[in-house]
Amino acid sequence: MSKWRVYLMGFVTLLMAPLGWLLCGMPPVLEFLQLDGLSNIWTLIGIEFGVCFGILMLIFTNTESARKSFSVQHQLIKSLRLNFFDILFLSLCAGFGEEILFRIAVQQWLPPVLASIAFVAIHGYILPNDLETTKYGLLVCFFITILSYAISGEQGLWFCIAAHASYDFVLFYFWGRN
């Protein structure tokens, strides 16, 4: 896959945010984005939470059977030869776009646990014929469920975006190099 396709995927993921805005009935943008929460301590805690959970996932997937199960994903990420900026861009696009779509829009119609299961299923991590991928999917589901409840709590949207982006950054960074 070429770099331009990687960036196109990032932009497409980023476009999930306006889709979420449309699905929410187009409220005022500043209210929708909850910008007042961007500079609070929960955003920093979200970064820490995402990094810690990303490291935990690296530990849980560091088995021979997990490496076999994820070999296609690892090879794809390695083949992209992502540099620091590429990883940061893709992580921020996914964190922002997917959290806006799922936490703010989809969770209007689905309860947090079902929205989390839908998120994990769409990413292809629930496969009845692949136990390792499904175990990984259940762990991701736990992470996403925490974010699903955090959105309506004191933590808010930017905690979720920061956690998701930093989680993705950790996985892209380490899976792209190992």
Side-chain angles (χ1 to χ4, degrees), residues 139-155:
L139 291 169
V140 172
C141 197
F142 178 68
F143 174 70
I144 295 301
T145 300
I146 292 170
L147 299 185
S148 294
Y149 283 103
I151 189 72
S152 58
E154 175 181 345
Q155 298 81 11

Side-chain angles (χ1 to χ4, degrees), residues 67-127:
R67 282 192 293 275
K68 284 181 188 174
S69 186
F70 289 103
S71 64
V72 173
Q73 292 95 328
H74 290 195
Q75 290 302 82
L76 174 64
I77 293 169
K78 275 188 206 180
S79 73
L80 297 174
R81 294 190 173 104
L82 301 173
N83 61 38
F84 182 86
F85 178 79
D86 300 333
I87 294 169
L88 184 62
F89 173 76
L90 291 174
S91 300
L92 290 173
C93 287
F96 186 78
E98 292 178 1
E99 290 306 313
I100 294 285
L101 180 63
F102 277 88
R103 282 334 120 229
I104 294 187
V106 172
Q107 278 189 212
Q108 287 188 47
W109 297 289
L110 292 176
V113 173
L114 289 180
S116 300
I117 292 169
F119 180 91
V120 172
I122 287 169
H123 282 76
Y125 296 136
I126 298 176
L127 301 173

Side-chain angles (χ1 to χ4, degrees), residues 123-136:
H123 282 76
Y125 296 136
I126 298 176
L127 301 173
N129 60 342
D130 185 345
L131 184 59
E132 286 301 320
T133 300
T134 301
K135 284 194 297 188
Y136 175 81

